[in-house]
Amino acid sequence: MPIPEDVTGDEIDKDVRQELQSLPKTLAEDVAKNLVMVARLIDEDPEGAYGYSRVALRLASRVAAVREAAGFAAYASQKYSEALAEFRAARRMTGNVELWPVMADCERGLGRPEKALDMAGAPEVHKLDKAAQVEMRLVAAGARRDLGQLDAAIVTLQSPELASNSVQPWTARLRYAYADALLAAERKGEAREWFAKAVEADRDGSTDASDRLAELDGVEFVDVLDEDAVKDEPAESDDDAQS
């Protein structure tokens, strides 16, 4: 796949670069460039990122960082079975548990919420850092909702992290998930309160909490470029034009 001229491969994380040192220099450079493209495209063009990840995988399947990148690209493309296989491979290579939450979410994607809940209660969770533990809580709550257990999902999200006034990288998403679960349980007043709290914490616009809050408040946004809306407007009469 084509690599833009501005991509050198030096943009990758230093830990990944260190992993690639086990490869011949030219091969390492090619793999690095493909990994840069995965990172560049994964949010806006998951299928494109997936394509570059497959190239990197063909070149260096024995490098854990490559397997992990391939897993995230497959995950972003909703290829959950493939993503899970890559995450498992990366975990076998490194022994790390940091991928545990996203592996559990792959189980959800495969229609196995019970398996995700089993993983949420596994000893590996205690080895996760705080951010990953919050992520695991979000996955577990999602699994409860998959099973139609709305009250259990709400309880799962209730935690010291949710109650804290401190804003952390996960705060907006945690508050948003809690608000969404409350709304699904028809607890509209509480949902509005938590969507508002999510807006306060969402400094980089990672959620659509502000839109959800506006929707609950009955605010409607009109696209001024909407051709249908323009057509529905009454035509200006000659009298109006002359006034």
Side-chain angles (χ1 to χ4, degrees), residues 93-106:
M93 292 175 177
T94 63
N96 294 336
V97 297
E98 59 189 19
L99 295 172
W100 198 251
V102 71
M103 290 168 63
D105 206 38
C106 285

Side-chain angles (χ1 to χ4, degrees), residues 8-236:
T8 66
D10 294 333
E11 301 90 340
I12 61 173
D13 183 84
K14 63 179 181 179
D15 292 334
V16 177
R17 188 181 302 115
Q18 186 173 358
E19 279 194 63
L20 296 179
Q21 288 179 356
S22 62
L23 303 173
K25 183 178 180 180
T26 301
L27 180 59
E29 291 175 353
D30 288 342
V31 173
K33 289 178 181 179
N34 280 281
L35 292 181
V36 171
M37 292 306 298
V38 172
R40 179 178 289 189
L41 296 175
I42 196 164
D43 291 329
E44 297 182 0
D45 182 11
E47 287 296 333
Y50 175 77
Y52 283 101
S53 76
R54 301 309 296 177
V55 175
L57 196 58
R58 287 197 297 272
L59 295 174
S61 63
R62 296 185 179 182
V63 176
V66 172
R67 302 302 290 264
E68 184 175 328
F72 278 110
Y75 177 80
S77 301
Q78 299 184 1
K79 298 175 175 64
Y80 298 116
S81 180
E82 192 172 322
L84 185 57
E86 297 301 340
F87 289 142
R88 284 172 173 168
R91 183 166 179 264
R92 284 195 301 269
M93 292 175 177
T94 63
N96 294 336
V97 297
E98 59 189 19
L99 295 172
W100 198 251
V102 71
M103 290 168 63
D105 206 38
C106 285
E107 296 288 359
R108 284 187 62 213
L110 291 168
R112 301 193 292 248
E114 296 90 348
K115 178 62 178 176
L117 289 173
D118 288 342
M119 293 179 69
E124 284 82 355
V125 175
H126 300 293
K127 302 176 184 178
L128 298 172
D129 61 21
K130 179 62 67 176
Q133 287 183 1
V134 171
E135 193 65 35
M136 190 73 249
R137 189 177 292 277
L138 288 167
V139 173
R144 291 294 185 189
R145 292 189 63 172
D146 293 342
L147 294 168
Q149 301 171 0
L150 287 177
D151 290 340
I154 291 170
V155 172
T156 298
L157 293 168
Q158 292 171 345
S159 61
E161 293 79 19
L162 180 68
S164 175
N165 291 323
S166 173
V167 175
Q168 302 295 335
W170 60 77
T171 303
R173 291 180 59 238
L174 183 59
R175 292 178 179 178
Y176 182 95
Y178 189 60
D180 194 46
L182 289 167
L183 188 60
E186 299 183 355
R187 293 163 61 174
K188 185 175 179 180
E190 294 171 89
R192 191 207 173 282
E193 174 187 352
W194 282 97
F195 275 126
K197 290 182 177 181
V199 170
E200 292 174 0
D202 195 1
R203 295 167 179 169
D204 59 358
S206 61
T207 74
D208 65 346
S210 59
D211 292 341
R212 299 292 299 277
L213 182 61
E215 183 180 348
L216 285 174
D217 288 343
V219 177
E220 294 185 8
F221 297 98
V222 177
D223 186 351
V224 295
L225 299 179
D226 187 338
E227 293 183 1
D228 291 334
V230 173
K231 289 178 181 178
D232 290 339
E233 291 181 0
E236 185 180 28

